[in-house]
Amino acid sequence: MKISNLRLVLGVMLAIGAHTALPAKTLTWTAGLDALSMDPHSSTNSFTNAFVTNVYESLVRFNDKLQIEPALAESWKMSSPVVWRFHLRRGVKFHNGEAFDADDVVFTWSRVSSPGSLVRINLSDIKEVRKVDQYTVDIETHAPFPTLLNELVQFLVMSKSWSEANNATEASDLTQKKENYANRHTNGTGPFIVKSREVDVRTEFLANPHWWDKKPRHNLTNVVFTPIKSDATRTSSLLSGVVDVSVSVPVQDVPRLQQGAAIDVVQGPELRTIFLGMDQFRDELLYGDVKGKNPFKDLRVRQALYQAIDVEVLKRVVMRGASWPAGSLISPFLNGAPASLNKRAFAYDTAVVKKLLADAGYSNGFSVGLQCPNNRYVYDEQLCLAITAMLARVGIKANPMIEPAAKWNQRLNTNDVSLYMMGHAGLPMADTYAILKDVVGTQTANIGGLNSGRYSNPKFDAYLPKIASELDLAKRNQLITEAVAIERNDISHIPLHQQPVIWAAKKGIDLRQSPDNQMRLWLITVK
């Protein structure tokens, strides 16, 4: 029987009230943007994916140390090199009271594979999901795939009956601006229930009193999230006590927050590398003044852009010292990252840049649109403006096209770019392969979902299935090193830096920060 929203909320509140041993704890938190959708299969946006994992769950999950833990599956084993058998957790309920079983897992695979789904890109190594019995499923991969568990973190399970009842059997298609019921309504199995949601205004969660995980994880009863775009307003809201936690702390505000005794600042390196991508597919740029040809198809021009950008100045002036200049697209903290290639391929040198441009036929430079978000990464707008000034010194006129993350994200998903800023943390897999596959691989239905410039190199592509299927760790790491060397020498993209994770909270709140910058509400405790 379908349970109405009113009955659901009342039932949850009564259940919470019954747990009198723990005092009620409310947490209020903020970030610089809101989730793009509550549909767990409609987006590859990292913040959105992290947001919804407080509501929906997969068969496995990461803890705060990015180690795999059981979730909706209690155990698993490989029955062949390409088949994994998962034994599902019994007694799990969706938030509306319906029981979870294998039918929901098989249905979720069908939904993940639907036309509007973007998360299917993250799960493209899966060939089939089959029901064995009510609490057992087999997952078959296209080839031996040693990091399947990492990939499955993004396989967030939805209720088959709820989706069918609400005409939400397919993922909402954000690229076509097509929403369905799941875009603004939820029904997961996870630790928190969405009580109410106003997009870009406020989302309120209630702790799920019937969550299967009975170990002490958190002591929250309800959570309120309020997105605040303004850096200054977020900081003042934290200092004044309007919010308890901010996960988008501006670098310049860290000293101010650390001065008082009421706030704890938690910061560390993020997995995410910030980089520039270039349209290397079209014969003529969408946003440029060169007619009849595309400058970025010329390696000399790509190298010129690389050497025109002084990453040390970006670190010192824009990032206030809180960044790690990147030698490649791969964070050194990612699984499989080749340490030997974590250094800049070319030095900053404007004289070399001008010669490269002249040799390529652009002695007078050229103009190009630079697509950047203004609320997605640390100092993203300021970085773009600084890069614009650096390029201008060598005759390249970059015209900043700066816009909110939602619009910028839509550009990336439709390849509506010429020169653009992007970041990738190797998530949701937390593995080097994720970046190589998503950002560098030739764009197909299952590969290159974040390769918005449509870079393509068949020699590089040949490494992807080998890396994906190699079970020997040493051999796999060697393959990764060789693949990264190819894209690095070809300058598929221009790496800038790894950005910091900076959170701040009132004293007495244990945030359990992780380098994937994911707010795991189920691990937070409030004194």
Side-chain angles (χ1 to χ4, degrees):
M1 179 182 295
K2 183 179 177 182
I3 302 174
S4 70
N5 288 339
L6 178 60
R7 288 175 59 197
L8 170 63
V9 171
L10 287 174
V12 169
M13 294 182 73
L14 286 172
I16 290 173
H19 291 276
T20 55
L22 285 175
K25 296 292 184 181
T26 297
L27 183 81
T28 57
W29 66 292
T30 185
L33 71 164
D34 197 3
L36 299 176
S37 170
M38 291 294 96
D39 186 329
H41 307 142
S42 65
S43 172
T44 54
N45 176 272
S46 296
F47 182 82
T48 299
N49 292 347
F51 197 86
V52 298
T53 53
N54 291 294
V55 178
Y56 289 98
E57 298 177 293
S58 181
L59 304 182
V60 297
R61 70 188 181 197
F62 283 131
N63 62 18
D64 58 317
K65 296 179 176 61
L66 301 184
Q67 299 165 331
I68 290 290
E69 294 181 338
L72 294 180
E74 289 184 310
S75 62
W76 52 85
K77 65 178 180 179
M78 292 182 66
S79 54
S80 83
V82 295
V83 177
W84 297 58
R85 177 156 293 185
F86 291 84
H87 299 282
L88 306 181
R89 194 177 298 277
R90 298 168 186 258
V92 175
K93 301 288 186 182
F94 285 97
H95 295 160
N96 69 351
E98 296 170 348
F100 155 78
D101 62 20
D103 289 332
D104 299 303
V105 178
V106 174
F107 163 74
T108 295
W109 172 242
S110 173
R111 195 177 191 277
V112 162
S113 304
S114 65
S117 170
L118 291 182
V119 78
R120 72 181 187 277
I121 298 167
N122 294 335
L123 297 163
S124 61
D125 297 284
I126 298 173
K127 179 181 179 181
E128 187 179 5
V129 178
R130 298 186 293 268
K131 176 181 178 179
V132 177
D133 58 40
Q134 187 176 7
Y135 293 104
T136 310
V137 295
D138 281 347
I139 297 182
E140 182 178 353
T141 57
H142 292 286
F145 189 59
T147 53
L148 175 65
L149 297 178
N150 297 54
E151 189 167 283
L152 282 178
V153 168
Q154 199 57 43
F155 187 82
L156 300 178
V157 176
M158 293 183 67
S159 162
K160 180 177 185 291
S161 59
W162 181 85
S163 298
E164 290 173 342
N166 292 290
N167 297 315
T169 56
E170 294 190 351
S172 51
D173 192 339
L174 298 186
T175 62
Q176 300 298 320
K177 298 183 179 180
K178 293 180 181 178
E179 293 190 8
N180 62 36
Y181 191 78
N183 214 68
R184 296 171 186 260
H185 303 81
T186 63
N187 182 36
T189 61
F192 290 88
I193 300 167
V194 175
K195 177 184 177 183
S196 62
R197 176 162 169 80
E198 297 177 74
V199 178
D200 291 330
V201 178
R202 174 188 169 100
T203 302
E204 185 171 357
F205 303 88
L206 296 175
N208 179 6
H210 304 297
W211 190 33
W212 57 265
D213 194 340
K214 302 305 180 185
K215 296 177 182 178
R217 296 283 179 175
H218 71 86
N219 64 345
L220 307 176
T221 51
N222 66 302
V223 177
V224 176
F225 170 73
T226 304
I228 302 176
K229 295 182 179 180
S230 166
D231 288 350
T233 304
R234 279 198 311 279
T235 297
S236 63
S237 296
L238 183 62
L239 287 169
S240 65
V242 173
V243 297
D244 301 322
V245 177
S246 173
V247 297
S248 301
V249 177
V251 176
Q252 75 271 13
D253 288 349
V254 170
R256 179 184 174 198
L257 291 170
Q258 290 176 327
Q259 283 178 355
I263 303 293
D264 282 328
V265 177
V266 186
Q267 56 183 321
E270 191 181 27
L271 296 176
R272 187 178 312 280
T273 300
I274 306 299
F275 57 87
L276 296 181
M278 300 154 281
D279 179 356
Q280 299 176 55
F281 179 81
R282 293 181 177 90
D283 292 328
E284 183 177 300
L285 295 175
L286 286 177
Y287 307 102
D289 65 352
V290 178
K291 302 302 178 183
K293 61 179 179 177
N294 179 346
F296 297 138
K297 288 190 175 186
D298 192 318
L299 176 60
R300 293 169 296 186
V301 175
R302 300 198 297 274
Q303 183 177 337
L305 257 70
Y306 191 115
Q307 296 193 258
I309 298 171
D310 191 336
V311 293
E312 293 296 338
V313 168
L314 294 181
K315 174 181 178 178
R316 184 175 67 253
V317 177
V318 180
M319 300 298 294
R320 298 172 185 251
S323 67
W324 292 260
S328 77
L329 298 175
I330 314 301
S331 163
F333 305 105
L334 277 175
N335 181 48
S340 61
L341 298 180
N342 188 35
K343 55 186 178 182
R344 299 292 290 177
F346 304 98
Y348 168 72
D349 192 323
T350 56
V352 171
V353 169
K354 291 176 180 178
K355 184 178 187 307
L356 285 167
L357 290 174
D359 291 345
Y362 301 100
S363 298
N364 298 320
F366 58 90
S367 296
V368 61
L370 174 58
Q371 294 81 42
C372 300
N374 60 7
N375 60 347
R376 179 65 185 92
Y377 306 121
V378 178
Y379 289 152
D380 43 15
E381 182 172 357
Q382 294 92 324
L383 283 168
C384 277
L385 294 175
I387 290 169
T388 296
M390 290 177 181
L391 295 180
R393 296 190 192 114
V394 296
I396 298 174
K397 183 182 179 182
N399 300 310
M401 299 169 64
I402 298 172
E403 53 202 1
K407 186 174 181 180
W408 162 85
N409 196 68
Q410 186 178 358
R411 278 192 189 278
L412 298 182
N413 290 335
T414 57
N415 304 319
D416 183 20
V417 294
S418 290
L419 175 64
Y420 58 96
M421 173 181 283
M422 184 186 279
H424 199 304
L427 297 171
M429 293 179 66
D431 187 271
T432 296
Y433 175 70
I435 292 183
L436 300 182
K437 172 189 171 186
D438 293 346
V439 176
V440 187
T442 298
Q443 197 172 78
T444 66
N446 298 319
I447 303 292
L450 295 177
N451 182 0
S452 300
R454 289 180 283 183
Y455 166 80
S456 180
N457 185 327
K459 186 177 179 182
F460 171 87
D461 291 338
Y463 276 88
L464 292 179
K466 297 176 184 177
I467 293 169
S469 61
E470 181 53 65
L471 300 176
D472 184 288
L473 181 60
K475 292 180 180 178
R476 183 176 191 265
N477 287 343
Q478 180 58 36
L479 290 169
I480 288 174
T481 299
E482 293 172 10
V484 171
I486 290 172
E487 74 80 19
R488 191 168 178 265
N489 293 335
D490 210 16
I491 313 180
S492 73
H493 299 75
I494 300 173
L496 300 176
H497 58 244
Q498 278 90 42
Q499 66 179 20
V501 180
I502 308 177
W503 294 359
K506 290 179 181 177
K507 294 281 188 182
I509 299 177
D510 182 6
L511 293 179
R512 302 286 289 274
Q513 187 186 78
S514 175
D516 64 355
N517 202 10
Q518 180 168 328
M519 184 79 153
R520 293 176 172 85
L521 294 174
W522 67 89
L523 296 178
I524 294 176
T525 55
V526 180
K527 293 181 181 179

